[in-house]
Amino acid sequence: MRSLWNDEEAARFEREGGELGLRVYTSRLLGREPELVLHGGGNTSVKLRERNLLGEEEDILYVKGSGWDLADIDAEGFAPVRLEHLVRLASLERLSDPEMVNELKTHCTRAGAPTPSVEAILHAVLPHRYVDHTHADAVVTVTNTPDGEARVREIYGDRVVVVPYVMPGFDLAREVARRFPAEAGPQTMGMVLLQHGIFSFGETARESYERMIELVTLAEEHLRSRRAWSVGLPEAPPPPSPIRKEVAALRRRLSRLAGRPMILAVHDDPKGRAFARHPEVGRIARQGPITPDHVIRTKPLPCLGRDVEAFARDYQAYFHEHAPQAREPKTMLDPAPRVILDPEWGLCTVGRSPKDAAIVRDIYEHTIDVILRAEALGGYRALPMRDLFDMEYWDLEQAKLKRAGEPPVFTGEVALVTGAASGIGRACVQALLRRGAAVIGLDRDEGVREAASGPAYRGLVCDLTDAGALEQALEAGVRAFGGLDMLVLNAGVFPPGRRIAELDEAEWRRVLAVNLDANLNLMREAHPLLREAPRGGRVVVMGSKNVPAPGPGAAAYSASKAALQQLARVAALEWGSDGIRVNTLHPHAVFDTALWTEEVLRARAAHYGVSVEAYKRRNLLEVEVTSRDVAELAAELCGPLFRCTTGAQIPVDGGNERVV
Ligand code: ZN
């Protein structure tokens, strides 16, 4: 592993923030290396002497605040805690978790600081100025073997202090305080926590960081020299296709176990498939995670195959066996697995949100490497279930996952929006994402890829009139998120005005193909998926004011939208017993869409002899209807407010006297 230290970058951080600035810099260097830390894992600190308002000098421990990620931490992410108090706490016989958190918070010198890491006391008792902690893959590979401790001593000699596994938090801090400085010598540059991770120390940010790199490199070299670095797997056959109906059915079962809609991601990843087919997967995968830090995300064990109910039964049985012996009474967490290793589908991950499922994927990709390398080294050994249970049910770990307040209404649900590249479709994507849904956007236009960003959005280029392309898009969307809960049929074309006498058949056919046939096809393909929606499927159809009040010169458009409306009404009749609601919006005169250029607007306004502004507000309420107005209502139609409504048609037009 290479040091990423760069003198110029470092100087910039030092100019802006002094020694704390350098602490920020090397923390980010650690965070940039996924083989050191993943997603909020690891922590760092620096001890600084500061003068308080009374002019007194104080030693302050700046330690990573909980909720911050090393990859993008800044000075605000470090909590300043009075060092002397922390060191004295380590001499207590015991300190409960709530007491510890209270002490950490009340001894910060900045009121708005984040809660200090639960490892703050441990950082405090180490005598070095800079302390870096990671769960480096290479180190946990070595320690998670039957003779891990002997190997660590062989690799590092007196350069590190070795600490057997103790649960993180106060007990670990006390154990470390007991060993320092007695076990440390002039050579000591770090500490290995068996089956957990590694610490490095230094007088400067650079020294501590580069010692981390040096120590991890030694572990990597050990693995290489034992032929336990490059570990291949036989190639697995590609997954069967299509599988979307089975995926949606599995997600429904997972959501039932979890008690809420969950995201299920099927990763098309050869390594995951090969690992899931490993002849000894039952032994090597069903031991536990590579560091206890992961258990909260991954659960102690993966589910092998798709019998998630059997997994849940085992989980419940284990809980009832061990919970009574836990330190404090516990309520059982949901028993749905977070990692599924299926011989056909490969690695699948489960999470409350697409981001959670993606984090679990990253963690498990590393887990596979560590397990295979540890196996090559002499056998993979994880912590006993007992310790994993304590860690999973540790309140301070649970607190990390809890977000402030209620999660958004569509968290864990999946929506598909057609015509998502612009206008009302794009606004629907945003409205659904804001409400916590994962969204699949389809459009012929390449712009659909950039209609939104982040792990909760997939924009797929797709011509809806091409049945094969539509199937592929559905297959990809369902593999990404696990199913389909909401469908917004928004795509449509509005041809230039033409009287019936001049309407040629090709144009008529083209308009019906997009506005009607493509929607029929999509509804037919979506039905088996919507039927599996944990909270019931929802369909929103973009109709038009032209359905109740057609205009001259728009025969093809009005006829196609009227036929689509009948289709929606029949779907409401046919799908009600499947719990699927189908409702229609009739927007009108939504001018912030691609259809309406400035030029067209001016021409229309001139036609009516009014200003563009007045033309935009030609409705009973004299309001301008925007894409966002339509999209917000479309999203609300999918929400609990309309739980009892299906087959409805709602105008979004500012009031039209021909409709009222
Ligand atoms: Zn750790």
Side-chain angles (χ1 to χ4, degrees):
M1 180 168 288
R2 269 181 340 104
S3 166
L4 302 174
W5 178 276
N6 173 298
D7 283 331
E8 257 170 61
E9 277 179 359
R12 188 162 54 78
F13 278 88
E14 191 174 13
R15 264 199 310 279
E16 283 166 21
E19 289 182 299
L20 183 59
L22 286 170
R23 177 66 289 174
V24 170
Y25 175 56
T26 55
S27 300
R28 289 191 189 176
L29 294 185
L30 296 176
R32 259 159 62 179
E33 188 63 79
E35 298 200 345
L36 290 176
V37 290
L38 285 169
H39 302 293
N43 41 59
T44 57
S45 68
V46 60
K47 301 176 181 83
L48 300 177
R49 179 148 269 247
E50 292 184 343
R51 198 177 288 279
N52 67 22
L53 287 178
L54 299 171
E56 299 154 352
E57 297 247 301
E58 276 185 309
D59 287 318
I60 304 294
L61 175 79
Y62 279 85
V63 64
K64 192 189 99 163
S66 96
W68 285 81
D69 202 317
L70 290 182
D72 53 16
I73 197 163
D74 57 38
E76 297 287 292
F78 287 90
V81 205
R82 294 199 171 86
L83 181 65
E84 194 198 338
H85 186 72
L86 294 178
V87 172
R88 288 175 60 200
L89 286 177
S91 66
L92 289 172
E93 264 311 301
R94 76 177 300 276
L95 185 67
S96 73
D97 292 336
E99 284 169 342
M100 179 174 79
V101 172
N102 186 61
E103 292 302 300
L104 296 180
K105 282 185 161 180
T106 53
H107 286 76
C108 277
T109 60
R110 195 175 77 233
T115 303
S117 159
V118 296
E119 309 291 14
I121 302 175
L122 189 159
H123 281 261
V125 300
L126 292 166
H128 316 80
R129 288 188 76 223
Y130 284 86
V131 174
D132 294 29
H133 168 49
T134 72
H135 308 121
D137 286 359
V139 175
V140 297
T141 304
V142 172
T143 74
N144 288 19
T145 55
D147 47 0
E149 180 168 356
R151 286 183 190 277
V152 168
R153 294 190 190 282
E154 180 193 334
I155 296 168
Y156 297 123
D158 58 2
R159 277 177 285 194
V160 302
V161 171
V162 181
V163 183
Y165 180 77
V166 178
M167 182 158 148
F170 180 70
D171 293 348
L172 177 60
R174 218 167 65 97
E175 177 63 22
V176 170
R178 211 174 57 74
R179 289 167 185 264
F180 277 85
E183 291 184 21
Q187 304 294 324
T188 306
M189 57 158 103
M191 172 170 76
V192 172
L193 303 183
L194 295 177
Q195 295 177 299
H196 175 156
I198 184 162
F199 285 73
S200 63
F201 320 133
E203 272 313 293
T204 63
R206 181 173 189 172
E207 183 178 54
S208 185
Y209 166 72
E210 292 195 329
R211 282 175 168 179
M212 175 64 72
I213 302 301
E214 185 183 341
L215 292 170
V216 173
T217 304
L218 287 170
E220 290 177 349
E221 281 165 4
H222 180 83
L223 293 172
R224 280 201 191 88
S225 70
R226 303 299 189 280
R227 295 179 190 285
W229 185 253
S230 304
V231 279
L233 284 167
E235 204 171 306
S241 188
I243 55 171
R244 58 184 182 276
K245 289 178 196 166
E246 290 91 329
V247 172
L250 178 61
R251 169 172 172 262
R252 183 190 178 95
R253 288 159 54 205
L254 284 162
S255 300
R256 193 185 300 135
L257 291 173
R260 59 194 180 204
M262 297 295 271
I263 297 295
L264 164 63
V266 180
H267 305 293
D268 191 15
D269 149 38
K271 185 166 80 179
R273 275 201 310 282
F275 187 71
R277 300 168 85 97
H278 192 289
E280 293 195 80
V281 66
R283 177 178 65 80
I284 60 178
R286 285 185 60 88
Q287 290 213 23
I290 56 180
T291 168
D293 200 61
H294 293 166
V295 72
I296 191 72
R297 299 252 185 216
T298 61
K299 294 226 169 242
L301 301 176
C303 177
L304 303 182
R306 284 170 245 164
D307 192 349
V308 293
E309 286 79 13
F311 176 94
R313 280 194 299 277
D314 288 349
Y315 185 88
Q316 285 158 333
Y318 192 85
F319 177 86
H320 292 304
E321 194 182 325
H322 289 272
Q325 304 156 33
R327 288 196 289 189
E328 280 145 38
K330 304 289 177 193
T331 319
M332 192 172 73
L333 300 168
D334 83 68
R338 298 298 189 267
V339 177
I340 297 172
L341 290 168
D342 184 77
E344 275 191 285
W345 297 357
L347 173 64
C348 312
T349 59
V350 181
R352 185 82 213 262
S353 66
K355 186 179 168 198
D356 289 347
I359 289 175
V360 176
R361 179 209 183 145
D362 285 351
I363 289 176
Y364 212 77
E365 292 281 347
H366 284 263
T367 303
I368 291 175
D369 290 340
V370 168
I371 290 177
L372 293 175
R373 286 172 179 162
E375 274 295 300
L377 198 60
Y380 177 66
R381 291 284 180 283
L383 284 170
M385 269 300 279
R386 200 47 245 237
D387 292 308
L388 297 174
F389 178 88
D390 284 347
M391 197 65 193
E392 188 187 2
Y393 279 85
W394 191 22
D395 296 339
L396 300 186
E397 276 296 301
Q398 284 299 327
K400 281 192 204 166
L401 284 192
K402 288 202 180 99
R403 305 197 173 111
E406 276 288 291
V409 60
F410 295 149
T411 301
E413 296 197 281
V414 187
L416 186 148
V417 179
T418 65
S422 61
I424 293 173
R426 194 181 177 110
C428 285
V429 169
Q430 302 296 344
L432 291 159
L433 285 172
R434 265 200 301 280
R435 287 166 175 77
V439 181
I440 306 156
L442 304 188
D443 207 301
R444 275 186 313 188
D445 187 324
E446 298 268 341
V448 72
R449 295 206 178 95
E450 280 81 47
S453 58
Y457 179 70
R458 285 293 158 95
L460 305 171
V461 179
C462 174
D463 177 355
L464 294 170
T465 61
D466 175 345
L470 179 65
E471 264 206 62
Q472 270 184 11
L474 278 176
E475 186 73 15
V478 170
R479 284 179 192 222
F481 300 130
L484 188 60
D485 303 87
M486 295 168 267
L487 177 62
V488 181
L489 298 177
N490 165 71
V493 288
F494 189 83
R498 219 184 296 284
R499 300 264 162 177
I500 291 172
E502 283 92 48
L503 186 59
D504 72 65
E505 178 156 341
E507 177 160 310
W508 170 264
R509 295 263 166 241
R510 186 178 69 86
V511 173
L512 264 74
V514 176
N515 292 3
L516 183 62
D517 302 357
N519 283 319
L520 168 67
N521 194 21
L522 178 50
M523 286 169 80
R524 187 172 49 212
E525 290 299 319
H527 176 247
L529 305 171
L530 291 167
R531 207 169 47 188
E532 302 287 359
R535 287 185 181 151
R538 284 138 283 166
V539 180
V540 176
V541 175
M542 282 308 156
S544 165
K545 181 228 57 169
N546 279 34
V547 174
Y557 181 77
S558 302
S560 69
K561 286 289 186 182
L564 176 61
Q565 179 51 37
Q566 283 305 86
L567 192 60
R569 295 172 72 190
V570 174
L573 293 169
E574 289 184 359
W575 296 354
S577 58
D578 294 323
I580 302 170
R581 303 194 279 109
V582 186
N583 293 296
T584 302
L585 292 180
H586 290 319
H588 181 53
V590 182
F591 295 114
D592 61 342
T593 64
L595 246 44
W596 294 90
T597 60
E598 280 302 314
E599 205 184 336
V600 175
L601 265 175
R602 268 198 302 275
R604 296 307 297 164
H607 176 81
Y608 287 97
V610 295
S611 69
V612 168
E613 273 312 296
Y615 176 70
K616 283 182 175 176
R617 296 165 189 266
R618 266 171 29 98
N619 54 56
L620 296 175
L621 294 172
E622 298 176 11
V623 294
E624 189 181 334
V625 182
T626 65
S627 293
R628 188 178 163 134
D629 291 312
V630 181
E632 289 292 311
L633 189 52
E636 283 305 312
L637 261 181
C638 296
L641 200 60
F642 287 88
R643 190 176 70 88
C644 305
T645 300
T646 191
Q649 303 178 46
I650 304 172
V652 199
D653 56 7
N656 183 295
E657 55 196 23
R658 287 182 58 209
V659 177
V660 169

